[in-house]
Amino acid sequence: MQLLADGNATAMVKAELEVAFERFQRNAFPHAGAKSSAGAVEVTVKDGAADLQLGVSEAYELDVPATFYSSGSAVATIQAETVFGAYRGLETLSQLIRFDFGSSSYVVDGAPIKISDAPRFPHREILLDSARHYEPVRVIEAILDSLAYAKLNTLHWHMSFPFVAPSHPELAEAAAFSPGERYTAGDVAAVVAYARSLGIRVVVEVDTPGHAASFCKSNPHVCPAPDCPEPLLISNNASFELIGDIFADFAAVTTDEVFHLGGDEVRYDCWNKSDAMKAWMAAEKLATFDDAYAYAVQRVAAGVKAAHGRAAIVWGEAWDTFGPSARSSWEAEERCEFPPRPRRLARRATAPRRRRWGETADPSDIMQTLWPRLAAIAEVLWSPPHGANATAAALPRLEAFRCVLEERGVAAAPVSNPLARAAPTGPGSCRSQ
């Protein structure tokens, strides 16, 4: 099988498609010694200059002729606005192809097939928390590969200080779990580049002003007290200077238009014990700690926008606390909000019962934690549910997708487990467990 790129495609697009096509062939044709008379895949990309940012088109049209696997001259076509839509089309085609053991050949059931497809929502992410458990770069790349199989398009990377910030290497020196569990700036740039080759954005999160005790291990002057380290002492300009330096380091090795500022779980106990904090609030005419919280998040958001042109997003807790008074800071948040259910009501209803698996997963179980359950979320984010029995209808697809994941080397847990991560209870097919 060969790739035919549109004759008007730029050299960059052709190079990107060649990489994607090599990946497609590895995934679509896993068995050695197979007979195939399949033709070519012709890919047309209309906009070769499109950047990988929130809202970029991922739409595609796929046409697989009836003779695709019976004629060496047959051509399957993918037409897409951008190279990222072409990636999605190639992924769909790879999952339509199956190996027939009776004929020792690859086939496409149901051809001819015509698909016109586009995502329901432009932002479809997972959160990777390497601030709590270090995930090596190779593990992250394997995770990115698996996300592409389900057409997820964003890695929200909560990092903080396994990152060796060039401007403040002492942060990682003091806060990393061990000397070897750290990321260089080059590591981050490499992950961003690898993710782009899959059509996946990387949105970096650094916690501010809460969850910031790691700052204090090497820079105690930015914290309320040695025994009361967080939130950051925002009465001190040095805190904002340090944050600005860190985001400048990330801006140098990331490409997304969005930075995640954290902004959640800001507790006021340490601020309340700080005379310097209360004196500063009085001078700034900030009546409550909520006002100080809003000031801190808004100032950091304004700083990353002014210095790096990046939009700021935060956890919903910040929006619930003071969002209406800071609406102009949250353009990206408003663009990302979507209507499957009322966001704040849903979070409040489920928060006491939710399991924070992302905070407890490490390389030993990260894949089983994500898969196959993440596929159900991915499907809802890509396509709206259809019919009254949508959940029952989705189960066979989820079971089949688990087999796809395992065929491609992803350690997906059994679908039938009451909890993720657990091993199969006995012998059986990848579809029946």
Side-chain angles (χ1 to χ4, degrees):
M1 178 174 286
Q2 61 179 319
L3 170 69
L4 301 175
D6 178 72
N8 295 321
T10 65
M12 176 180 290
V13 167
K14 288 180 179 179
E16 291 172 331
L17 287 174
E18 288 288 352
V19 172
F21 195 68
E22 289 175 7
R23 181 169 58 242
F24 160 78
Q25 289 187 299
R26 288 195 304 271
N27 291 334
F29 308 112
H31 294 285
K35 295 178 293 186
S36 175
S37 59
V41 178
E42 183 176 47
V43 180
T44 301
V45 173
K46 297 178 183 178
D47 182 0
D51 193 14
L52 181 60
Q53 300 293 345
L54 178 65
V56 69
S57 174
E58 298 172 84
Y60 67 91
E61 294 183 356
L62 171 63
D63 188 348
V64 184
T67 57
F68 186 54
Y69 267 97
S70 60
S71 170
S73 62
V75 177
T77 62
I78 295 172
Q79 297 187 42
E81 187 71 25
T82 72
V83 71
F84 312 112
Y87 294 166
R88 307 303 176 230
L90 284 168
E91 181 56 46
T92 295
L93 180 57
S94 76
Q95 294 184 34
L96 290 174
I97 296 169
R98 71 172 181 86
F99 184 71
D100 181 77
F101 281 88
S103 61
S104 295
S105 63
Y106 291 96
V107 298
V108 176
D109 295 323
I113 297 172
K114 292 181 181 290
I115 296 173
S116 181
D117 201 10
R120 183 185 183 195
F121 298 115
H123 182 97
R124 307 179 307 281
E125 76 160 46
I126 68 153
L127 167 60
L128 180 66
D129 191 348
S130 60
R132 291 179 172 85
H133 292 278
Y134 177 77
E135 306 286 350
V137 169
R138 287 190 177 182
V139 172
I140 297 173
E141 289 177 345
I143 291 169
L144 289 166
D145 286 335
S146 73
L147 299 185
Y149 303 153
K151 300 188 176 72
L152 291 162
N153 71 350
T154 307
L155 177 71
H156 170 177
W157 192 359
H158 179 209
M159 189 178 309
S160 295
F161 297 112
F163 176 57
V164 182
S167 64
H168 291 277
E170 76 280 359
L171 289 164
E173 188 71 29
F177 294 121
S178 76
E181 294 177 288
R182 291 184 270 185
Y183 305 107
T184 66
D187 290 334
V188 177
V191 168
V192 170
Y194 190 82
R196 189 189 188 284
S197 75
L198 296 161
I200 297 173
R201 301 162 52 222
V202 176
V203 175
V204 169
E205 177 186 350
V206 178
D207 278 318
T208 61
H211 289 301
S214 58
F215 284 77
C216 307
K217 293 181 179 180
S218 56
N219 290 266
H221 59 288
V222 302
C223 299
D227 60 345
C228 208
E230 56 182 349
L232 292 173
L233 189 63
I234 61 172
S235 59
N236 186 345
N237 278 330
S239 296
F240 294 101
E241 292 169 359
L242 179 58
I243 293 169
D245 290 344
I246 299 308
F247 278 114
D249 290 338
F250 277 117
V253 292
T254 63
T255 58
D256 201 78
E257 293 175 346
V258 172
F259 274 144
H260 200 300
L261 310 184
D264 64 319
E265 297 180 349
V266 177
R267 308 292 181 244
Y268 300 148
D269 293 351
C270 294
W271 280 353
N272 194 38
K273 295 175 183 178
S274 170
D275 292 337
M277 181 69 185
K278 287 185 281 191
W280 172 80
M281 287 177 59
E284 293 289 327
K285 297 183 172 55
L286 299 173
T288 68
F289 288 123
D290 279 357
D291 295 333
Y293 176 19
Y295 171 90
V297 176
Q298 291 172 9
R299 181 167 169 178
V300 175
V304 298
K305 183 70 172 178
H308 311 295
R310 309 292 178 101
I313 58 175
V314 293
W315 288 112
E317 186 174 329
W319 180 260
D320 291 345
T321 303
F322 57 82
S325 67
R327 188 169 297 274
S328 63
S329 297
W330 313 125
E331 296 172 356
E333 174 78 7
E334 290 178 330
R335 290 202 305 271
C336 291
E337 190 168 351
F338 50 78
R341 58 181 180 171
R343 182 172 61 87
R344 282 173 286 184
L345 292 177
R347 183 177 57 257
R348 287 171 180 166
T350 61
R353 299 189 298 274
R354 68 187 176 195
R355 291 182 175 89
R356 295 186 176 181
W357 281 340
E359 296 184 2
T360 60
D362 73 359
S364 70
D365 62 358
I366 185 69
M367 287 303 195
Q368 299 96 313
T369 301
L370 292 173
W371 302 109
R373 294 187 173 207
L374 182 57
I377 297 171
E379 178 170 314
V380 170
L381 294 178
W382 185 273
S383 304
H386 296 287
N389 297 317
T391 299
L395 180 58
R397 294 195 297 275
L398 183 62
E399 292 170 339
F401 188 68
R402 181 190 181 229
C403 295
V404 171
L405 291 169
E406 293 193 339
E407 181 71 46
R408 298 179 181 184
V410 178
V415 173
S416 60
N417 281 352
L419 296 175
R421 305 180 179 182
T425 57
S429 165
C430 57
R431 290 175 178 263
S432 62
Q433 296 181 323

